[in-house]
């Protein structure tokens, strides 16, 4: 370093030391007007209709608004719609919020909602459609600029909360726009609390405060989202002050984080279940199943209920919850926690029974077992790859020699939508806060024209159960609907349309003096972060 440069640096340092300490407000000297958030899973697109995936939907809430939102406890709450009512069993009317502006200053109207509901189920190359939320919708009409009428093909008591899943995009910016146009920012014109500044896939997203926002003014001028899928790196970023809040702090780090006087932990029981989905799309050979010598089996063994029962009994769910998930999950035999709408108290946690599992395999014609590959993500859920590895070891103990292929969630999701796997580790967080969400989107047979089974990527098919699901979700009386939903849950579990394993607990960690309002739906929202 030259003497001249050293002199300049010394003068600059002296000047900084001479500045009055009161230049920053008391209690906020260490905090800028920017908020830095570390996310655990990648946001694969800014297009809010591209993929019905929790990371995308969570981020979309910053830029786009739905008609109805879920409160932190999961209850439906007015948002772009101020009120709604069922005019009849199949007709709903929604009054829309006046005075709402798009980020470019144009007025929000019912025509934008009509456009959004037509677009959401029909985005090209979408790996996970929003069609299930609009499954019964036959007509969406802009009766007045701020009055919407929706007609359904059958009674749909959950319609308002179903619509919470679908962001409203502007018609004038969205007509003819592609997903790439949203990612570039060209079409990312919303009514939300923040405006998109920059999106780098898999890396960073930057948003700036929308000072014309119709809702509560936000304290943050700018929010920087960093994608940090590695759990240890996420904790390290928080402890070093590189980020102010992180989603999904790793369970192994929670004791250390709790002990740090500068860190706070915020937790809530979630509605996301981790489960296994067998391939039902093939009756013949399945691509990742062979005999023990590596020869393809002539018939897909996963179609045999006894084989699925064996795989389920081989899983030590309590061990997964306590040891692999480090207590950040609970063992389960279904996909909603006790007390949730449609939870069936008669469906318990399946026992861990290796002997019975072996007997069932032998009875099904596989006394020596077979080989299989379990596919999973490695950057989406807490300990997702580690959980898959643990399940593989458990299956190997009953003679099903299992290898694991774990990959980034974006790749995993695209291949899953094409039915490329034999069995997958998957997850679903109920958007409605009730058991019917999984029944509708994953258990129900895939029916694209009716927008049913929209996320049934492994193609389970059970027409008798389909009829019961549709009947349950069309029942207007809440008590009778819950009874029917719970009965459908029990039948799904008996048939092992999917194999539930654990329910996640949701957690966030923040640096003081920040607080975060924990959410059942696991969304990480800058709108929920405040200073004390």
């Amino acid at each position: 370093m030259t003497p001249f440069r050293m002199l300049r640096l010394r003068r600059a340092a002296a000047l900084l030391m001479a500045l009055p300490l009161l230049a920053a407000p008391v209690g906020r000297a260490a905090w800028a007007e920017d908020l830095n958030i570390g996310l655990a899973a990648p946001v694969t697109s800014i297009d809010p209709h591209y993929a019905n995936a929790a990371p995308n939907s969570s981020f979309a809430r910053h830029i786009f608004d739905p008609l109805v939102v879920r409160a932190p406890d999961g209850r439906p709450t007015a948002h772009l719609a101020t009120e709604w009512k069922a005019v009849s069993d199949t007709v709903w009317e929604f009054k829309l919020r006046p005075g709402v502006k798009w980020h470019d200053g144009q007025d929000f109207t019912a025509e934008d909602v009509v456009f959004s509901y037509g677009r959401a189920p029909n985005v090209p190359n979408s790996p996970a459609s929003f069609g299930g939320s609009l499954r019964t919708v036959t007509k969406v009409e802009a009766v007045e600029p701020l009055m919407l009428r929706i007609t359904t093909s059958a009674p749909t008591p959950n319609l308002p909360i179903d619509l919470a899943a679908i962001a409203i995009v502007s018609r004038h910016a969205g007509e003819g726009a592609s997903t790439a146009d949203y990612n570039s920012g060209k079409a990312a014109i919303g009514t939300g609390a923040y405006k998109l500044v920059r999106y780098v896939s898999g890396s960073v997203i930057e948003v700036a405060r929308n000072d014309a926002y119709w809702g509560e003014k936000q304290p943050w001028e700018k929010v920087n989202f960093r994608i940090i899928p590695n759990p240890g790196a996420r904790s390290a970023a928080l402890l070093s002050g590189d980020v102010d809040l992180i989603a999904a702090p790793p369970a192994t780090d929670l004791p250390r984080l709790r002990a740090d006087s500068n860190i706070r932990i915020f937790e809530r029981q979630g509605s996301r279940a981790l489960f296994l989905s067998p391939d039902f799309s093939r009756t013949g050979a399945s691509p990742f199943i062979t005999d023990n010598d590596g020869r393809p089996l002539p018939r897909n063994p996963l179609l045999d209920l006894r084989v699925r029962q064996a795989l389920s009994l081989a899983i030590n769910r309590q061990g997964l919850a306590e040891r692999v998930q480090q207590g950040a999950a609970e063992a389960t035999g279904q996909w909603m926690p006790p007390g949730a709408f449609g939870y069936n108290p008669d469906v318990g946690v399946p026992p861990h029974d290796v002997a019975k599992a072996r007997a069932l395999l032998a009875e099904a014609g596989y006394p020596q077992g077979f080989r299989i590959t379990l596919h999973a993500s490695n950057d989406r859920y807490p300990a997702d790859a580690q959980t898959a590895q643990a399940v593989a070891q458990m299956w190997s103990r009953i003679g099903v020699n299992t290898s694991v292929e774990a990959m980034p969630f974006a790749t995993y999701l695209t291949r899953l939508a094409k039915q490329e796997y034999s069995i997958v580790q998957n997850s679903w967080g109920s958007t409605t806060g009730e058991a019917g969400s999984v029944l509708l989107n994953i258990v129900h047979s895939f029916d694209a024209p009716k927008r049913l089974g929209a996320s049934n990527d492994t193609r389970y098919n059970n027409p008798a159960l389909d009829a019961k699901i549709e009947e349950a979700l069309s029942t207007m009386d809440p008590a009778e609907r819950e009874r029917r939903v719970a009965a459908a849950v029990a039948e799904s579990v008996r048939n092992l349309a999917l194999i539930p394993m654990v329910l996640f607990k949701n957690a966030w960690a923040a640096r003081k003096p920040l607080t975060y309002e924990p959410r059942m739906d696991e969304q990480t929202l800058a709108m929920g972060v405040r200073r004390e």
Side-chain angles (χ1 to χ4, degrees), residues 17 35 58 62 73 152 158 239 296 318 352 404 411 479:
M17 292 179 66
L35 176 67
S58 176
H62 295 84
D73 63 1
T152 61
N158 281 346
L239 290 167
Q318 200 62 40
H352 176 220
V404 172
T411 303

Side-chain angles (χ1 to χ4, degrees), residues 1-15:
M1 182 180 294
T2 66
F4 177 71
R5 179 163 173 74
M6 290 178 65
L7 179 62
R8 289 182 60 189
L9 288 174
R10 287 173 183 157
R11 287 176 176 171
L15 179 61

Side-chain angles (χ1 to χ4, degrees), residues 61 73 115 124 130 155 175 262 313 389 396 408 418 421 433 514:
R61 278 284 311 280
D73 63 1
F115 171 74
F130 286 89
E175 281 188 317
N262 295 313
L313 290 169
Q389 290 288 354
S396 295
K418 299 176 181 177
Y421 308 133
L514 297 187

Side-chain angles (χ1 to χ4, degrees), residues 92-405:
W92 290 76
E93 287 186 351
F94 291 78
K95 289 185 179 180
L96 305 184
R97 189 175 298 278
V100 176
K101 300 284 187 181
W102 293 102
H103 290 162
D104 59 8
Q106 296 198 37
D107 290 333
F108 158 73
T109 72
E111 291 292 346
D112 296 304
V113 185
V114 174
F115 171 74
S116 299
Y117 290 169
R119 181 181 188 272
N122 299 300
V123 174
N125 303 313
S126 169
S129 170
F130 286 89
S133 297
L134 297 166
R135 65 194 182 281
T136 63
V137 173
T138 58
K139 186 187 294 186
V140 184
E141 303 170 271
V143 180
E144 298 174 8
L146 295 176
M147 174 66 77
L148 188 76
R149 182 177 295 140
I150 298 178
T151 303
T152 61
S153 59
T156 311
N158 281 346
L159 183 65
I161 193 65
D162 284 345
L163 297 181
I166 301 180
I168 306 303
V169 299
S170 60
R171 184 170 200 152
H172 64 275
E175 281 188 317
S178 66
T179 292
D181 291 327
Y182 284 87
N183 292 341
S184 70
K186 177 182 177 182
I189 307 299
T191 58
Y194 293 92
K195 300 178 180 181
L196 181 68
V197 174
R198 184 168 72 110
Y199 168 64
V200 180
S201 180
S203 179
V204 297
I205 313 175
E206 297 174 4
V207 297
R209 183 172 60 205
N210 174 18
D211 288 323
Y213 182 50
W214 59 266
E216 181 184 3
K217 182 176 176 61
Q218 298 300 303
W220 314 109
E221 291 182 3
K222 184 178 178 183
V223 182
N224 306 298
F225 297 89
R226 287 178 52 192
I227 312 301
I228 314 176
N230 181 277
R234 208 158 52 249
S235 292
L238 180 71
L239 290 167
S240 68
D242 287 347
V243 297
D244 307 314
L245 176 140
I246 60 172
T252 52
D253 287 349
L254 282 177
R256 177 165 60 122
L257 294 174
R258 291 186 200 279
D260 192 309
S261 60
N262 295 313
I263 304 295
R264 289 176 173 151
I265 306 295
F266 304 91
E267 296 175 289
R268 192 170 204 140
Q269 175 61 56
S271 61
R272 176 171 294 279
L274 189 68
F275 54 84
L276 302 164
S277 290
D279 171 37
F280 295 95
S281 69
R282 302 171 179 85
T283 56
S286 192
F288 293 97
I289 303 177
T290 70
D291 65 16
N292 290 317
D293 294 321
R295 295 184 295 266
L297 295 177
R299 177 173 171 78
N300 177 5
L302 301 178
L303 297 181
D304 192 315
L305 176 59
R306 294 167 295 186
V307 172
R308 301 197 300 277
Q309 289 172 331
L311 295 178
S312 179
L313 290 169
I315 298 170
N316 181 350
R317 290 165 172 81
Q318 200 62 40
L320 293 179
E322 293 178 358
R323 295 193 291 275
V324 182
Q325 292 291 335
Q326 297 287 312
E330 294 182 353
T332 188
Q334 50 192 301
W335 51 83
M336 294 299 291
F341 189 97
Y343 172 83
N344 193 321
D346 296 328
V347 176
V349 178
H352 176 220
D353 193 330
V354 172
K356 187 173 181 180
R358 287 182 176 274
L360 283 167
L361 281 179
E363 184 181 322
Y366 304 98
Q368 305 305 317
F370 50 84
R371 293 183 181 178
I372 193 169
T373 299
L374 171 61
H375 286 85
S377 60
N378 60 11
D379 61 353
R380 172 63 187 91
Y381 316 110
D384 45 4
Q386 295 92 326
T387 302
Q389 290 288 354
V391 170
Q393 294 174 17
M394 294 171 187
W395 284 353
S396 295
R397 293 187 190 117
I398 65 167
V400 178
N401 297 306
T402 307
S403 58
V404 172
E405 185 179 344

